Amino acid sequence: MSTPTRTVEELANREYEFGFITDVEAESVPPGLNEDVIRLISAKKNEPDFLLEWRLKAYRHWLTMEEPKWQNVHYPPINYQEVIYYSAPKAKGDQPKSLDEIDPEILKTYEKLGIPIQEQEMLAGVVAVDAVFDSVSVATTFKAKLNEMGIIFCSFSEAAQEHPELIRKYLGTVVPTNDNYFAALNSAVFSDGSFVYIPKGVRCPMELSTYFRINAKNTGQFERTLIIADAGSYVSYLEGCTAPMRDENQLHAAVVELIAHDDATIKYSTVQNWYPGDKEGKGGIYNFVTKRGKCEGRNSKISWTQVETGSAITWKYPSCILKGDNSVGEFYSVAVTANYQQADTGTKMIHIGKNTRSTIVAKGISAGHAQSTYRGAVKILSGADGARNYSQCDSILIGDQCGAHTFPYIDVQNPTAQVEHEASTSKIGEDQIFYCNQRGISSEDAVSMIVNGFCKEVFRELPMEFAVEAQKLLSVSLEGSVG
Amino acid sequence: MLEIKNLHATVDDREILKGISLTINPGEVHAIMGPNGSGKSTLAGVLSGRDLYAVTEGEVLYEGKNLLEMPPEERAQEGLLLSFQYPVEIPGVSNIYFLKAALNAKRKHHGEPEMDAMDFLLLVKDKIKKVNLDEAMLHRSVNEGFSGGEKKRNEVFHLSVLEPKLAILDETDSGLDIDALRVVADNINALRDGKRSFLVITHYQRLLEYIVPDYVHVLVDGRIVRSGGKELALELEQTGYKFEQEAARA
Ligand SMILES: Nc1ncnc2c1ncn2[C@@H]1O[C@H](COP(=O)(O)OP(=O)(O)O)[C@@H](O)[C@H]1O
Ligand SMILES: [Mg+2]
């Protein structure tokens, strides 16, 4: 019969579903970081000079910085000289021009992940995927259709070649190279990522999606994503991530920058299930990410929705700078931590413009020995008349060896502002599980049902197909949590 | 249907049930009466598989099978359902979603397909009306913010949808006013079909005026000290449990 203790033990026994390694020839630079490596990366990508200079400036700054120590996560020191900073699958030609040219092994990997990479499948899914395999974008679909509307959706490397003026204008304007340790490192060595530009008044007709996948051994992955929504435009962007199972911890330090002009809306959704490490806490991804959006224009809106079930360590605060008057920032988050996972996540809402509004809904689920921390900052500057914030931060605990911590920071410099914060912590009780059992529902289904109910407010912010995937992921993550 | 033989059970190493034997045949209604703390809810808990209790002696057969070996959800799927003395709140999970999961778990167990969504909706709308609860309660979180009486009626609503073979009602009458009591009794009586059995646990004789039992058992200090027909309930109403309690102590 089930007891909460057994619950936790069995939870710890879950296996990572996506732990397979793709066998493709990779082209890597030797481990280690110096200016030559950066020059090599830039040269491989045939980048314009300004970009190389930008990288080098970031690198020189990074050398003067120290790794942050304030977050509530613990891990052995990372040796940055052992990381490989560039790894690309070897293609037959230079760059694959169609799906036929892509290594079938890679396609098989995507199949296992359930990514509909074939265009035929894409047509059914109405999703355009810019797939990032390790560092190089291997396939971009639906480009033609988007092109007709003036929408640019391509790999970052391609954008650097074809749209250098946009890169030059926007890169680093939201997350400057010297913003923080991991952002500086990313700026120096980023390998690839996605670029999106939605022209004035255009409503992007489909969800744009990138699947990140970390594959090559010991490869630090440094994605750079830049999304610009010009005046009156709308875009919804989906990011999904998985990584194969490995013994060594893998470093991931991505940067995402969003810019919304007047009356524009950007919706950015993430479902992240990177390998969290095994039940003893060995292996798994270190995820240090800087995600920030700037509501540059009046009435603009940026909305972050994230469902995080993976990574050994997560350090992530998708944030909004609400500069334009009447602009809106939103953050909806579900973070699941199990086994020995650690997550320190939250958001920052910085109110600069008048009547700016922000909403934060953060749901944390902890099981096993996991520690989950919510860290949220709401800052209302003196010019932000009539600014409003509502924050709600709930934690649910499964078992009694895990923990949830909440650190809200509130800084209000304008007397007309209204800031509301609510927080709660609850536990899935043995009596709740028994009540479900007594109606014929298994303990596993009971936990999954209760957890899904707990996350409802966040799930309904996700695009339909993603919401279904997120629910499944949550069930998989908590599988075996009870007997 | 149910055969309890010399059942002993403990909580935290303290013996609460001290040798209970009871046989319930199909279609019968048995009432268990007794003072507070005599072990009535413990008996319900042991029968429904709550692992708070440890069975130290005795056996229980349900439809000829060893009940004590079955996990709690299987007991429920096999038709043994409990109306809780203290129904549990499940925030975030709607009543209708919960019941659908419950009903489909039972159907799956019996190799039947899931119920059609429309048929299910019609079924629950009909049944919830019969227990005099607002249809809106279907979409509220299970028991969350329900009044005491609403929780009890919701339990009966669950039973009427899930159609048990053996229903155990643990003080389903407590906290109900006379109108609500009638509604609950009517719904239970509507489930009586000559095959379905009931174990009605109550502290008061009042409920048994509406749900007329075939047998009444008096539980005192973990033992059945007297059994009789429905008239025993009336007698107890007049004399109280004092006599039985003294007898148990003697
Ligand atoms: N969870 C528990 N922990 C400790 N003692 C319990 C627990 N549940 C019941 N008991 C004890 O068992 C005895 C019988 O309780 P119970 O079965 O609830 O009685 P009744 O339902 O007849 O009022 C009481 O003395 C009560 O204190
Ligand atoms: Mg009781």
Side-chain angles (χ1 to χ4, degrees), chain A residues 296-362:
Chain A
E296 181 72 49
R298 294 172 57 86
N299 309 317
S300 57
K301 177 173 170 182
I302 288 179
S303 180
W304 299 100
T305 306
Q306 60 174 30
V307 176
E308 310 260 338
T309 67
S311 295
I313 294 177
T314 302
W315 180 92
K316 179 178 172 189
Y317 315 90
S319 305
C320 296
I321 301 169
L322 303 171
K323 188 165 165 237
D325 290 347
N326 309 321
S327 61
V328 175
E330 292 175 341
F331 174 75
Y332 297 95
S333 162
V334 167
V336 182
T337 45
N339 297 330
Y340 285 88
Q341 277 178 277
Q342 307 173 57
D344 191 310
T345 178
T347 183
K348 270 185 278 184
M349 293 289 175
I350 301 166
H351 293 251
I352 301 172
K354 292 183 177 50
N355 300 315
T356 44
R357 277 166 293 144
S358 63
T359 303
I360 298 171
V361 177

Side-chain angles (χ1 to χ4, degrees), chain B residues 11-12 14 16 35-43 52-53 85 170-171:
Chain B
V11 179
D12 298 338
R14 189 158 72 89
I16 308 293
N36 278 329
S38 57
K40 302 186 296 294
S41 293
T42 302
L43 178 61
L52 206 63
Y53 310 106
Q85 182 175 4
D170 191 358
E171 301 211 19

Side-chain angles (χ1 to χ4, degrees), chain B residues 49-63:
Chain B
R50 179 130 212 195
D51 61 5
L52 206 63
Y53 310 106
V55 173
T56 50
E57 218 187 310
E59 65 171 335
V60 182
L61 298 179
Y62 174 68
E63 296 188 305

Side-chain angles (χ1 to χ4, degrees), chain A residues 24-28 44 86-104 106 133 136-139:
Chain A
V24 287
E25 268 187 89
E27 180 188 29
S28 307
K44 286 244 181 239
Y86 183 79
S87 166
K90 260 193 201 149
K92 287 170 198 156
D94 274 325
Q95 273 271 328
K97 296 197 175 50
S98 75
L99 288 168
D100 305 336
E101 285 183 35
I102 294 171
D103 193 316
I106 292 181
F133 191 93
V136 175
S137 257
V138 288

